[in-house]
Amino acid sequence: MKEDWLDGLLDSLRKEEENIKQGGGKKRIEKEHKKGKLTARERIDMLLDEGEKLTELGLWAAYEMYEEEGGCPSAGVVMGTGKVSGKTCMIVANDATVKAGAWFPMTAKKNLRAQEIAMENHLPIIYLVDSAGVYLPMQDEIFPDKEHFGRIFRNNAVMSAKGIPQIAAIMGSCVAGGAYLPIMSDEALIVDGTGSVFLAGSYLVKAAIGEDVDNETLGGATTHTEISGVTDYKMKDDTECLLTIRDLVDKLGPKEKAGFNHKEAVKPEITPEKMLKEFPADRTKPYDMHTVIKSVVDSGSFTEYKEGYGNTLITGYARIDGWSVGIVANQRKIVKNKQGEMQIGGVIYSDSADKGARFIMNCNQKNVPIIFLQDVTGFMIGKRSEHGGIIKDGAKMVNAVANSTVPKITIIVGNSYGAGNYAMCGKAYDPRFIYAWPTAQIAVMGGTQAAKVLTQIQVSSLEKRGEELSDKDKADILQKIKSRYDKQTDVRYAAARLWVDEIIHPSSTRARISEALECVDHNPVIPDFKTGVLQV
């Protein structure tokens, strides 16, 4: 069948996801159980309300990275949003089965993303701490910079000042600088016998000042709840600790919400299964993005904006699971404008950019969140476009996206190339959440074009040095470059580096957007919208 290609792709991704969820493997899981500890995922399952599942983010973080260090599945930390005592919370849990929960560079990046989402959406954040601290062989990539380890504690302080609740549970090791994370949270729990927190462990204390002391006396539960007063609650085991967190969350006071327009939901006009039958396996093939939209929005709710103008971009108002939204989507059909000019689907032309900028400004005027559906190959190039001012028109759209203050949620359906990624709210433009289908490809340009350009440069350089290259030599160079580039445009490569929050099944797109809209509604603060100087 036509859609078998996608089933095969999804099956392979699911199998790999199950491997990632095993963390350090069965032996490491058994080792944690023998200590009387639950794993990170078991702790989260117990913490969540009955019947609720974690909306996981960053599962693919660090995928195929740090292999010379033995790998770091999911960057050694599990994170996502979920309901705890009826309240949507951000949950971050160190996975002690992966290098004892040590922090790699991507671990810090993932934790910072969790805090960013919590801050932007005013979500309570729960830390389940169980970490040996910074992975010392890579300390130079983790410790000193603005987006490194220390930024986490800065964020602790900023969130506290904003009134965003933070609850931390010390359920294992908590060492050195990492000790500040739970103690800079609003409240800290510690599990007796397994939890410990100190700036330096017993070996370092012995080496540094010659003092003999065991870790439990140095920084165990009794020490910190009855002597130092560093922690607030002494828990007998993981279960009591998690149930106490649930109780604390249950007693949180009410908070103001944004109050975005929301009505009773209506099912979409078509099913995701029907939509996917029309979705091409070949990323260069055209298709109608309206079909994707119809599988996501409430039936009958889509009101298209400037329908006859700038037709390589679809804009309009709709409802998704009852939530009022604006939609900006790349049309992948080949279209013809009123002047008879053929326009290539997935490309942003001057009229499309003008329309997109105007619509984004309207959404900000009306306080309507914006959903971006990306399948973009970039802005139109060539003499006609340059003379027509494509750069200033593109700059206008990028300006509107950059300065937009209403919540933005991005789904990368297919291609995401070059400045098109920017104009359609890629990661650099602060979407509250950004997801990708397995079919997504993110790069400065398409693999074939990039490989040809790089091959021409390399061949020219070799020939200038006097080397004679046969057609086979040139073909081999092209294939080698293309293979490397194709790997870098694979969606797993992007997810490994947190360019996207998660790889999602196309059929879960509507649910993910709805969950994201519920999260963004928690933050009532929408700054004034200003664009500054526009190129008109």
Side-chain angles (χ1 to χ4, degrees), residues 63-123:
Y63 177 71
E64 292 188 341
M65 297 174 69
Y66 315 124
E67 291 183 337
E68 68 282 2
E69 307 291 338
C72 187
S74 211
V77 64
V78 183
M79 82 171 190
T81 60
K83 288 284 200 315
V84 178
S85 297
K87 296 178 175 64
T88 301
C89 298
M90 170 60 72
I91 303 167
V92 185
N94 296 113
D95 186 350
T97 71
V98 179
K99 297 285 192 299
W103 289 64
F104 283 69
M106 283 305 302
T107 315
K109 187 172 184 179
K110 187 170 174 178
N111 275 265
L112 287 168
R113 179 59 178 153
Q115 290 183 320
E116 180 180 43
I117 291 171
M119 281 192 284
E120 287 182 336
N121 300 292
H122 287 200
L123 299 179

Side-chain angles (χ1 to χ4, degrees), residues 227-246:
I227 299 174
S228 71
V230 165
T231 57
D232 307 308
Y233 306 92
K234 180 180 178 180
M235 302 285 101
K236 66 180 181 182
D237 55 23
D238 280 11
T239 299
E240 184 183 47
C241 183
L242 296 165
L243 292 176
T244 303
I245 294 173
R246 287 183 50 79

Side-chain angles (χ1 to χ4, degrees), residues 211-282:
E211 183 179 31
D212 281 310
V213 61
D214 63 87
N215 282 338
E216 186 63 27
T217 303
L218 190 64
T222 299
T223 294
H224 284 312
T225 55
E226 300 175 25
I227 299 174
S228 71
V230 165
T231 57
D232 307 308
Y233 306 92
K234 180 180 178 180
M235 302 285 101
K236 66 180 181 182
D237 55 23
D238 280 11
T239 299
E240 184 183 47
C241 183
L242 296 165
L243 292 176
T244 303
I245 294 173
R246 287 183 50 79
D247 181 65
L248 293 172
V249 173
D250 181 57
K251 292 181 172 65
L252 288 174
K255 293 281 187 178
E256 185 183 353
K257 292 190 176 184
F260 292 117
N261 188 320
H262 187 241
K263 292 185 176 180
E264 187 175 345
V266 177
K267 288 184 179 180
E269 181 179 333
I270 65 173
T271 64
E273 291 72 26
K274 183 177 179 181
M275 175 271 293
L276 289 171
K277 287 179 181 178
E278 299 182 27
F279 193 84
D282 186 342

Side-chain angles (χ1 to χ4, degrees), residues 332-373:
R332 282 298 308 272
K333 286 197 314 183
I334 296 173
V335 298
K336 184 186 288 188
N337 66 17
K338 201 66 175 177
Q339 285 74 42
E341 176 191 6
M342 299 297 291
Q343 295 183 333
I344 303 165
V347 177
I348 301 175
Y349 291 76
S350 283
D351 54 357
S352 313
D354 179 71
K355 168 180 164 178
R358 176 66 182 273
F359 181 71
I360 290 163
M361 288 189 275
N362 273 342
C363 287
N364 279 271
Q365 181 84 348
K366 297 178 177 182
N367 201 25
V368 176
I370 307 172
I371 312 300
F372 291 84
L373 298 175

